[in-house]
Amino acid sequence: MLKLLEALTRQQKAMVILVLDLGLLPVALFFALMLQNMPSSSLTILGKMLPLIPYVLLGTGGLSYWLGIPRVQLIAYERHAVGLTALVALFAALSAATLCAIFGPKLPAGLFVVFGLIYLLLMVAARAFLLQVVLAVYRRARPRARVLIYGAGNTGTQLAQALKAHDGIDPVAFVDDNKSLQGLVLMGLPVYAPSRISKVVEARRIKRVLLAMPSLSSPKQARIIHRLQNLGLEVQALPSFAQLIGEEALVEKLTPVAPQSFLSRDACDVPLQTSAGSYAGRVVLVSGAGGSIGSELSRQVLACRPTKLVLYELSELALYTIHQELSQQLEGAGIELVPVLGSVTDPRQVRRVLERHKVQVVLHAAAYKHVPLVETNPLPGLANNVFGTQTLASAAAEFGVERFILVSSDKAVRPTNVMGASKRMAELIVQDLASRCDPNGDSSARRTVFTMVRFGNVLGSSGSVIPLFQEQISRGGPVTVTDPQVKRYFMTIREAVQLVLQAGAEAKGGEVFVLDMGEPVSILQLAGQVIEAAGYSLRDAEHPDGDIAIEIIGLRPGEKMQEELTLSSELIRTAHPKILCAREAVLSEIEVAAFMRALRQAVAVGDEEGARQIIMRWVEGYVQADRDRKTS
């Protein structure tokens, strides 16, 4: 039977319904005659009307098909469809009365009123009967999923009513926190307390829970969901019916807030025109082009209209994503976009790319930047950040690249972690290439302007604190903060990249540019702002009924209470008020060669402790992290 139902097309099902409706018309007429006190028998009168019935059937069928009544699904047959059916029944009664008045037999008007009512009732009853038959067939052929509805309020009861006619879902019971509802029977289903869920689930063989409490805040819903999932249950949360029809915002509280909203100052805006000349009409390579900084660099460089933009990236997915995005912006622009999949630590590939594409400007943003990960994996972090910088910068000097700009970090200043130390070593390499001179006093790398730009945390970048807070909030919290006293400098991605491009355009060679990032921001206060911006309240000792709690987890290995931007307090103003230049001591060529040789040997033999000792010797201010701290 199920195979037959599934084999029928929608048009065939409509024709079945139409034929059924037309077949009920003479039946309704016969019953109407039986209910009337007529001089002749019902069959005799029906026989006299027989020549007229085909015309009534033709008109009624045509009107029904035009109104689309046969195409209404049985499960969707409701008040509006019943109204259309009543219109068809009225037409059938009027057409039968008119034909009888013209051609005979002469019958009382009340007969046709009764006929129309009976015809309407038969058509509605037939559909109700067919629906039950079809549901019974589906239920017999396909076992129904037994579900528990969490929430016996308006949404829950309406959901239960809707599921009564569902062919694949069987609502078994309600669960609700409201004690006044517990023990009642609503919509034919018992209401239990949450404490009895495990027993109800086991006794009634339930595998799925439908959470029907849309008025509950998302964090509180998340806590309920986690508790139910720990019982091995599949949980699905439903919006309210008001949300579904657009009277309430469906996910307004979960809409991410723009990162600049949390900046404790006005974001600066540097017009691209001031720096575009250094990138326009040139071949520009962006390393780490798929990362947060690299992708924004690529977007803004593209706006400067280079002749060619080379996207150099290690991650296939990240490279694909940024290449697809930028490709859509290039129609008719005359700019060549070149995706290169590879590592900056591969000397042969780096040389081949620079030579083949005749690269003129390098923006080096490729780096492992997540402090805890690099602290746990120091050798890959050092290899990528230090050796990769030396490989790319040396090749840039060899092939006469005009400008090489290193994107650095405030964590490079007196670092307490391997990531920061690796960035400082990368800075030393670039400073060495910028200052190196040949025996005749001419710079061996004079054709290439080497410079670096140092700034702090970027709001909204991958792995940064605000996306982490927002993800924790979406799971119901808690929001984790390492220490109440921790402060960090922040910039938006857009303003950081604008200033990097501006600094790179102003560079003469060897500068350590430092971006003015305003005052450092308390991470604890920032966490509270993100919670409030998401539309939730802070849960603490003073507000135990709040939505989201903040949990202090302790500093992770390598983290400092507050970052610094320079090794010295001596900062020189530049043409741009947000860009400063730091005067810092550099290592000689021999010293750089010495630490690079020692570091390569330590990485080659897998000596993590030896690598840390090399950092401690050559990186000013480095203090080895306490690796016994939490790493989560």
Side-chain angles (χ1 to χ4, degrees):
M1 187 64 176
L2 178 62
K3 292 182 179 179
L4 176 61
L5 287 174
E6 293 179 334
L8 292 175
T9 64
R10 187 178 296 275
Q11 188 66 26
Q12 289 170 334
K13 292 176 180 177
M15 291 307 298
V16 169
I17 296 295
L18 181 60
V19 170
L20 177 62
D21 285 345
L22 295 180
L24 290 173
L25 189 147
V27 175
L29 187 57
F30 177 73
F31 279 122
L33 290 168
M34 288 184 63
L35 293 174
Q36 296 293 310
N37 186 15
M38 305 297 293
S40 303
S41 68
S42 301
L43 287 176
T44 301
I45 299 174
L46 190 61
K48 293 179 180 180
M49 295 180 65
L50 197 58
L52 306 177
I53 289 177
Y55 297 101
V56 178
L57 289 173
L58 184 62
T60 302
L63 177 62
S64 179
Y65 190 83
W66 181 71
L67 292 174
I69 297 174
R71 295 189 293 274
V72 176
Q73 291 182 317
L74 293 176
I75 200 167
Y77 189 77
E78 38 70 56
R79 186 167 53 189
H80 177 69
V82 171
L84 294 177
T85 306
L87 186 62
V88 170
L90 176 63
F91 174 84
L94 289 175
S95 60
T98 302
L99 290 172
C100 285
I102 297 173
F103 301 105
K106 304 297 181 181
L107 298 171
L111 169 69
F112 299 102
V113 174
V114 174
F115 160 61
L117 292 174
I118 293 176
Y119 188 33
L120 172 61
L121 292 174
L122 286 177
M123 286 192 287
V124 173
R127 282 168 169 76
F129 176 75
L130 280 178
L131 176 60
Q132 294 306 314
V133 171
V134 171
L135 290 178
V137 170
Y138 275 102
R139 289 167 183 168
R140 183 179 295 272
R142 297 174 180 171
R144 301 176 79 196
R146 299 170 65 82
V147 300
L148 182 69
I149 300 177
Y150 198 120
N154 190 43
T155 301
T157 53
Q158 291 184 64
L159 174 64
Q161 177 65 30
L163 293 179
K164 288 287 186 180
H166 197 281
D167 62 330
I169 301 177
D170 182 19
V172 173
F174 287 109
V175 169
D176 201 287
D177 299 309
N178 190 341
K179 293 183 179 180
S180 64
L181 295 177
Q182 295 166 9
L184 299 179
V185 175
L186 301 176
M187 307 301 299
L189 305 178
V191 182
Y192 296 103
S195 59
R196 297 191 59 190
I197 288 179
S198 57
K199 294 181 180 178
V200 173
V201 165
E202 183 179 355
R204 305 229 176 183
R205 305 186 309 279
I206 296 169
K207 298 295 183 183
R208 184 185 302 174
V209 177
L210 303 180
L211 184 58
M213 303 181 72
S215 60
L216 206 62
S217 68
S218 294
K220 291 178 181 177
Q221 285 192 37
R223 288 196 290 273
I224 292 174
I225 290 171
H226 291 324
R227 190 167 71 245
L228 294 172
Q229 288 175 338
N230 290 336
L231 295 174
L233 296 168
E234 178 187 350
V235 185
Q236 294 174 317
L238 275 73
S240 68
F241 285 89
Q243 289 171 334
L244 288 174
I245 64 175
E247 291 183 0
E248 297 176 13
L250 189 58
V251 287
E252 182 180 355
K253 287 189 174 182
L254 296 182
T255 302
V257 180
Q260 55 264 33
S261 301
F262 304 108
L263 204 60
S264 57
R265 54 179 173 78
D266 293 332
C268 68
D269 190 21
V270 183
L272 281 177
Q273 291 81 356
T274 59
S275 59
S278 298
Y279 310 98
R282 288 174 168 76
V283 179
V284 181
L285 180 146
V286 178
S287 70
S292 301
I293 299 296
S295 59
E296 183 62 22
L297 276 169
S298 302
R299 295 183 194 101
Q300 294 198 28
V301 167
L302 201 64
C304 296
R305 303 189 67 79
T307 56
K308 184 187 294 186
L309 177 59
V310 181
L311 307 172
Y312 201 111
E313 173 60 54
L314 178 62
S315 166
E316 180 189 22
L317 176 59
L319 180 62
Y320 172 80
T321 302
I322 188 62
H323 182 253
Q324 287 294 106
E325 176 191 335
L326 298 184
S327 296
Q328 298 175 7
Q329 304 174 19
L330 290 182
E331 294 185 10
I335 302 173
E336 184 179 355
L337 192 63
V338 182
V340 177
L341 187 64
S343 170
V344 290
T345 62
D346 184 346
R348 284 180 296 182
Q349 184 179 29
V350 167
R351 289 165 53 87
R352 185 167 59 248
V353 170
L354 292 179
E355 182 179 23
R356 176 181 298 175
H357 298 291
K358 296 180 172 52
V359 175
Q360 295 167 285
V361 179
V362 173
L363 294 161
H364 180 36
Y368 292 152
K369 65 177 185 177
H370 298 292
V371 171
L373 287 180
V374 176
E375 199 65 30
T376 308
N377 304 274
L379 298 184
L382 289 165
N384 186 75
N385 295 359
V386 181
F387 300 159
T389 299
Q390 186 191 46
T391 298
L392 187 57
S394 298
E398 178 182 349
F399 289 100
V401 170
E402 292 179 10
R403 292 178 181 275
F404 182 98
I405 300 108
L406 169 67
V407 176
S408 191
S409 166
D410 60 352
K411 293 177 176 59
V413 180
R414 280 182 276 274
T416 58
N417 53 72
V418 175
M419 195 287 287
S422 70
K423 296 297 286 184
R424 178 55 186 154
M425 295 173 102
E427 289 181 352
L428 292 170
I429 291 168
V430 173
Q431 287 175 316
D432 171 51
L433 285 169
S435 62
R436 192 179 303 170
C437 295
D438 65 12
N440 298 321
D442 296 326
S443 171
S444 62
R446 181 64 66 192
R447 289 177 298 173
T448 303
V449 173
F450 286 97
T451 192
M452 64 215 73
V453 184
R454 186 188 291 161
F455 54 89
N457 296 271
V458 175
L459 289 170
S461 64
S462 63
S464 62
V465 68
I466 289 180
L468 173 62
F469 286 167
Q470 290 174 333
E471 190 271 336
Q472 290 174 334
I473 289 170
S474 70
R475 290 189 284 107
V479 169
T480 57
V481 174
T482 55
D483 191 282
Q485 304 303 317
V486 167
K487 292 184 178 182
R488 292 290 182 266
Y489 291 100
F490 285 103
M491 297 189 88
T492 65
I493 293 179
R494 178 176 176 79
E495 67 175 339
V497 167
Q498 286 176 339
L499 292 172
V500 167
L501 294 177
Q502 179 66 31
E506 293 181 7
K508 304 300 181 186
E511 301 95 339
V512 179
F513 288 112
V514 177
L515 303 186
D516 181 0
M517 309 186 71
E519 295 298 318
V521 176
S522 166
I523 301 299
L524 183 64
Q525 292 180 7
L526 182 63
Q529 291 172 1
V530 176
I531 291 171
E532 292 176 1
Y536 304 121
S537 58
L538 178 64
R539 187 171 79 250
D540 54 21
E542 296 180 3
H543 308 90
D545 294 328
D547 296 316
I548 302 288
I550 295 177
E551 179 181 344
I552 305 300
I553 60 174
L555 288 175
R556 296 173 295 183
E559 281 194 318
K560 295 198 294 188
M561 296 293 285
Q562 185 167 331
E563 302 290 357
E564 304 170 85
L565 291 172
T566 63
L567 286 165
S568 67
S569 58
E570 189 174 356
L571 291 172
I572 302 171
R573 291 283 175 184
T574 66
H576 194 282
K578 285 287 184 178
I579 301 175
L580 307 173
C581 188
R583 291 188 182 275
E584 296 181 352
V586 299
L587 297 181
S588 68
E589 179 182 354
I590 295 176
E591 290 173 316
V592 171
F595 82 65
M596 286 297 295
R597 184 168 53 251
L599 188 60
R600 286 189 183 277
Q601 184 176 358
V603 171
V605 299
D607 185 2
E608 291 188 4
E609 191 55 40
R612 294 180 193 276
Q613 292 301 319
I614 293 166
I615 294 172
M616 191 172 296
R617 177 181 177 186
W618 293 105
V619 176
E620 181 181 348
Y622 175 73
V623 178
Q624 189 163 337
D626 179 5
R627 295 194 295 278
D628 291 332
R629 289 177 184 163
K630 292 181 181 179
T631 58
S632 60

